[in-house]
């Protein structure tokens, strides 16, 4: 039998599962279960488990305390579905708590139901969904995931709105990687003393549940690039230099006309990444369609068909069997050219317009950089980390839109 967490739900005799809660939560985070500061900052390296803990903490408090109405925010609303929302569902399922929660997959709301009565609620939205934000009242707590994506003005508006009277102090939780020493977050919370705030830095070494293969990837950054190692392994503030793509800007609309191709980078433990590439009026429009881990080929095929993808899909040529499986399923999947440097040069020569809801694509573009050696010299090779959408984009761009390409 799978062990589950022990949580008392208000009624003294109501228990969920068996075992101790500290068996389910990393030791570094245990003291944060009781933290009540208005501003609670979780930052550090990749794979530290900070987002997973925050979801655990919110669910724990939702079960233990009355009167919470959490708002979980990212810069773009739709990015919540496959990140924070799926994370909450995973924790609820892992703790065998599904009977206690009403999960609305349409509205992305999660509501606690005890003895037939609804109680605490967790709502999900984005700062781009202005109308929904205006309509949400009675918020007692806020979690801003990927806080480095939002502006200081965004944060100020959230801070001003958090004023609902509650049995417990209102709290804003911020989580992020310290990708830039010039971030407003560093100036706001690290370079000056802030009252009523707590800060916790963690790295992959604090996460005893981390996948060994991913831990090796993070450790391997030490040999790849000192700046990436500083940020993603050590969790220290850094400022990536040698960014590869600067020829892009955001767009709020995708044109309906133009020539469409797709780029696909296969993954499983790493994310599978699918990018729509639309060439229109001399410019390239990019939209992230899939960015998800643990997708089997059958699940991937279903997702692609649900997206009504029609056109050539240029895939990682190192996976011929998976490409053939897509072709057998009726998709126009083709191997892409993998000349990395020529592909990058070609992508850098085009005007790129990135759909504003493509949060993972934007995040990769903002950090995709040339490797540096130990002396700080920039090398003619990109860092192999968090680059799955970059690979997919390059496959579709260089192979699919380059005029001299001949079909395989």
């Amino acid at each position: 039998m799978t062990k589950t967490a022990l949580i008392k739900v208000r009624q003294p005799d109501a228990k969920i599962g068996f075992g101790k809660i500290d068996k389910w939560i990393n030791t570094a985070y245990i003291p944060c279960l009781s933290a009540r500061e208005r501003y609670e900052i979780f930052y550090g390296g990749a794979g530290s488990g900070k987002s997973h803990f925050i979801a655990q903490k919110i669910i724990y408090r939702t079960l233990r305390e009355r009167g919470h109405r959490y708002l979980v925010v990212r810069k773009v609303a739709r990015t919540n579905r496959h990140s924070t929302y799926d994370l909450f569902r995973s924790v609820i399922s892992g703790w065998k708590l599904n009977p206690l929660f009403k999960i609305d997959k349409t509205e992305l709301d999660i509501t606690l139901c005890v003895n037939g009565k609804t109680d605490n609620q967790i709502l999900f939205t984005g700062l781009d969904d202005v109308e929904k934000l205006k309509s949400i009242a009675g918020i007692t707590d806020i979690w801003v995931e990927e806080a480095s994506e939002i502006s200081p003005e965004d944060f100020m508006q959230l801070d001003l709105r958090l004023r609902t009277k509650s049995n417990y102090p209102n709290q804003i939780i911020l989580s992020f990687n310290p990708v830039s020493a010039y971030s407003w977050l560093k100036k706001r919370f690290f370079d000056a003393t802030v009252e009523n705030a707590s800060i916790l830095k963690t790295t992959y070494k604090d996460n005893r549940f981390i996948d060994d293969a991913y831990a090796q990837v993070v450790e391997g950054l030490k040999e790849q690039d000192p700046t990436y190692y500083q940020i993603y392994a050590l969790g220290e503030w850094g400022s990536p230099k040698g960014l590869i793509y600067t020829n892009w800007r955001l767009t709020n609309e995708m044109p309906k006309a133009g020539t469409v191709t797709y780029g696909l980078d296969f993954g499983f433990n790493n994310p599978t990444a699918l990018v729509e590439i639309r060439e229109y009026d001399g410019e390239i429009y990019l939209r992230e369609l899939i960015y998800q881990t643990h997708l089997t080929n059958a699940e991937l095929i279903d997702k692609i068909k649900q997206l009504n993808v029609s056109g050539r899909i240029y895939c990682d040529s190192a996976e011929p069997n998976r490409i053939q499986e897509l072709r057998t399923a009726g998709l126009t999947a083709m191997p892409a050219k993998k000349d990395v440097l020529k592909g990058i040069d070609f992508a850098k020569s085009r005007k790129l317009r990135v759909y504003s809801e493509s949060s993972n694509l934007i995040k990769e573009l903002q950090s995709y950089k040339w490797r540096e050696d130990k002396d700080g010299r920039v090398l003619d090779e990109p860092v192999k980390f968090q680059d799955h959408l970059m690979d997919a984009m390059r496959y579709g761009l260089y192979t699919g839109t380059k005029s001299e390409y001949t079909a395989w």
Side-chain angles (χ1 to χ4, degrees):
M1 181 182 295
T2 303
K3 290 186 177 181
T4 59
L6 170 66
I7 301 176
K8 296 180 180 180
V9 188
R10 297 194 196 101
Q11 295 80 8
D13 298 327
K15 295 182 180 181
I16 306 301
F18 55 91
K20 293 184 177 180
I21 195 70
D22 59 4
K23 291 185 177 181
W24 296 89
I25 296 178
N26 282 304
T27 304
Y29 296 110
I30 293 291
C32 302
L33 285 172
S34 57
R36 297 292 181 183
E37 291 85 357
R38 181 173 179 88
Y39 309 112
E40 190 173 16
I41 316 298
F42 294 90
Y43 83 110
S48 65
K50 52 187 174 292
S51 297
H52 196 89
F53 166 71
I54 295 168
Q56 290 175 323
K57 172 176 177 169
I58 291 173
I59 292 169
Y60 180 81
R61 284 193 173 172
T62 298
L63 292 166
R64 299 273 295 180
E65 302 170 354
R66 189 181 300 277
H68 285 295
R69 196 169 197 228
Y70 277 94
L71 179 65
V72 180
V73 173
R74 288 194 65 171
K75 180 67 174 180
V76 178
R78 68 182 293 273
T79 59
N80 272 322
R81 182 177 293 277
H82 293 305
S83 57
T84 54
Y85 179 70
D86 279 354
L87 181 56
F88 275 91
R89 291 177 60 198
S90 175
V91 173
I92 289 170
S93 176
W95 284 359
K96 306 297 180 186
L97 298 173
N98 291 82
L100 290 179
F101 286 92
K102 177 184 176 183
I103 298 176
D104 189 327
K105 297 180 181 179
T106 302
E107 295 296 327
L108 299 191
D109 293 345
I110 297 176
T111 305
L112 177 67
C113 302
V114 179
N115 294 333
K117 297 180 180 179
T118 60
D119 199 336
N120 294 331
Q121 194 172 30
I122 307 168
L123 310 173
F124 300 80
T125 191
L127 294 172
D128 62 321
D129 195 345
V130 177
E131 293 307 315
K132 184 173 182 179
L133 270 175
K134 288 180 179 178
S135 68
I136 297 175
I139 297 300
T140 61
D141 306 90
I142 297 173
W143 172 24
V144 185
E145 169 69 320
E146 301 288 0
S148 56
E149 294 177 352
I150 74 169
S151 69
E153 292 76 20
D154 292 332
F155 173 77
M156 181 178 66
Q157 290 302 316
L158 291 172
D159 200 9
L160 290 173
R161 290 196 60 185
L162 190 62
R163 56 183 182 272
T164 303
K165 289 185 178 180
S166 173
N167 297 326
Y168 306 94
N170 297 140
Q171 188 171 60
I172 299 179
I173 300 172
L174 304 172
S175 55
F176 57 93
N177 298 117
V179 292
S180 174
Y182 301 103
S183 168
W184 68 270
L185 288 160
K186 184 174 184 295
K187 183 177 180 181
R188 174 72 170 76
F189 292 104
F190 294 80
D191 294 345
T193 301
V194 179
E195 294 184 2
N196 206 10
S198 66
I199 298 175
L200 179 67
K201 184 181 87 169
T202 51
T203 72
Y204 72 101
K205 292 183 179 180
D206 295 300
N207 184 3
R208 71 178 188 271
F209 306 110
I210 193 172
D211 177 80
D212 289 340
Y214 187 74
Q216 291 175 9
V217 170
V218 176
E219 289 170 357
L221 291 174
K222 188 172 186 178
E223 304 303 322
Q224 277 211 69
D225 187 271
T227 301
Y228 262 39
Y229 182 72
Q230 177 182 348
I231 296 169
Y232 294 108
L234 302 181
E236 298 175 356
W237 289 98
S239 295
K241 62 180 179 180
L243 293 177
I244 293 175
Y245 295 119
T246 57
N247 57 316
W248 63 278
R249 63 176 174 82
L250 296 178
T251 179
N252 293 323
E253 295 184 3
M254 290 286 288
K256 296 181 180 179
T259 303
V260 182
T261 55
Y262 302 87
L264 175 62
D265 187 49
F266 295 111
F268 188 75
N269 289 327
N270 289 319
T272 294
L274 179 68
V275 177
E276 175 189 340
I277 300 157
R278 186 177 293 266
E279 188 170 14
Y280 175 72
D281 197 22
E283 297 184 336
I284 299 292
Y285 290 79
L286 304 169
R287 174 162 54 183
E288 168 192 331
L289 297 180
I290 296 175
Y291 187 81
Q292 190 173 344
T293 57
H294 302 118
L295 276 182
T296 65
N297 237 31
E299 292 169 335
L300 173 60
I301 289 167
D302 285 343
K303 279 185 170 292
I304 292 175
K305 289 184 174 181
Q306 289 171 14
L307 290 166
N308 295 317
V309 168
S310 59
R312 290 181 174 183
I313 307 171
Y314 295 97
C315 315
D316 183 352
S317 58
E319 300 274 6
N321 292 336
R322 298 188 72 174
I323 294 173
Q324 184 56 51
E325 193 173 342
L326 266 63
R327 292 176 68 88
T328 301
L331 299 171
T332 311
M334 309 181 73
K337 291 185 177 181
K338 292 195 68 173
D339 191 321
V340 176
L341 294 182
K342 287 184 178 179
I344 288 174
D345 284 345
F346 180 72
K348 285 168 65 69
S349 73
R350 305 303 304 269
K351 293 180 180 179
L352 307 180
R353 304 293 177 253
V354 183
Y355 188 45
S356 59
E357 293 186 4
S358 302
S359 63
N360 294 297
L361 178 58
I362 294 166
K363 186 175 181 180
E364 287 195 10
L365 281 165
Q366 289 173 333
S367 62
Y368 192 51
K369 65 184 290 292
W370 299 112
R371 283 184 58 193
E372 300 171 48
D373 65 16
K374 294 180 180 179
D375 297 320
R377 290 185 295 244
V378 177
L379 307 178
D380 204 19
E381 178 185 349
V383 180
K384 286 299 297 176
F385 186 69
Q386 294 185 350
D387 59 350
H388 310 290
L389 286 159
M390 295 295 90
D391 287 348
M393 178 187 81
R394 190 179 69 251
Y395 297 154
L397 266 174
Y398 182 57
T399 316
T401 66
K402 196 169 174 60
S403 59
E404 62 264 31
Y405 175 71
T406 302
W408 294 60

